[in-house]
Amino acid sequence: ITTVVAHDSYLINLASPERGLFERSLTAFEEELSRCEILGIAWLVMHPGAHRGCGETEGISRVGKAIRLALLESGTSRVSVLVETTAGQGTQLGYRFEHLRDILEGAAIPERVGVCLDTCHIFAAGYDIRDREAYNRTLLAFDTVVGLEHLKVLHVNDSKKGLGSRVDRH
């Protein structure tokens, strides 16, 4: 094993407009970063969270700023954050490549943020990867919107639901 990647708690929601939940999430996220730093884990994968009714634009902005704040306040220097794609259930963010681009831009520390592309999630979000041609189109779309230089990890797995179902079931 040459590179270890960790995933943060699914309960963390950096997009939440609810002050208490956001503050608990930010504290937990900073603790996850600190644990990775102590263990020598280079990448912490995280889901952007759910905007819970405040809208995608506000939620995306909140996530980007929270990542930046956590990286600066956690005292870490060797661990970076990977924003994972999502299927887009409910008010989940991260199901469009544009969400990822905007979150990375909001974090404003390009050397410490990247993307984890989950094949189940992008398929459920509507990005076709069923054959080589469709896969190449999807990666071209990712490169055009986000940039392949930001893709650090592929989480390769299947999907129990169909293309564009927006249901996260591995």
Side-chain angles (χ1 to χ4, degrees):
I1 298 173
T2 58
T3 304
V4 176
V5 178
H7 198 299
D8 73 351
S9 168
Y10 288 98
L11 298 176
I12 293 172
N13 185 1
L14 297 178
S16 178
E18 299 166 24
R19 184 178 179 150
L21 178 56
F22 175 80
E23 289 174 358
R24 289 189 304 276
S25 293
L26 184 58
T27 298
F29 188 62
E30 289 174 2
E31 289 171 357
E32 296 270 9
L33 286 167
S34 295
R35 273 192 287 278
C36 286
E37 183 91 359
I38 290 165
L39 295 170
I41 298 172
W43 298 104
L44 177 63
V45 176
M46 57 88 70
H47 289 171
H51 65 74
R52 302 184 69 153
C54 72
E56 290 183 352
T57 302
E58 185 178 327
I60 288 166
S61 176
R62 187 175 286 110
V63 174
K65 290 175 185 173
I67 291 171
R68 178 177 175 75
L69 182 61
L71 286 170
L72 296 174
E73 296 293 321
S74 65
T76 62
S77 61
R78 297 184 319 238
V79 61
S80 297
V81 174
L82 297 181
V83 182
E84 185 175 350
T85 55
T86 69
Q89 288 186 167
T91 64
Q92 242 182 17
L93 300 170
Y95 68 94
R96 304 297 313 151
F97 294 155
E98 292 80 4
H99 294 181
L100 304 172
R101 176 199 61 211
D102 294 348
I103 290 168
L104 296 183
E105 287 175 2
I109 309 177
E111 67 278 9
R112 299 225 18 225
V113 294
V115 173
C116 171
L117 192 123
D118 183 302
T119 58
C120 169
H121 296 166
I122 63 169
F123 184 75
Y127 293 102
D128 196 356
I129 54 172
R130 292 178 287 193
D131 58 42
R132 183 182 302 263
E133 187 177 309
Y135 174 81
N136 287 337
R137 277 194 312 272
T138 294
L139 279 187
L140 178 60
F142 180 90
D143 189 29
T144 300
V145 175
V146 180
L148 282 174
E149 67 275 12
H150 298 291
L151 180 58
K152 306 299 181 187
V153 170
L154 285 173
H155 184 192
V156 180
N157 55 74
D158 61 355
S159 178
K160 289 184 176 181
K161 300 295 181 178
L163 177 66
S165 65
R166 302 253 318 253
V167 177
D168 181 3
R169 296 294 181 275
H170 298 259

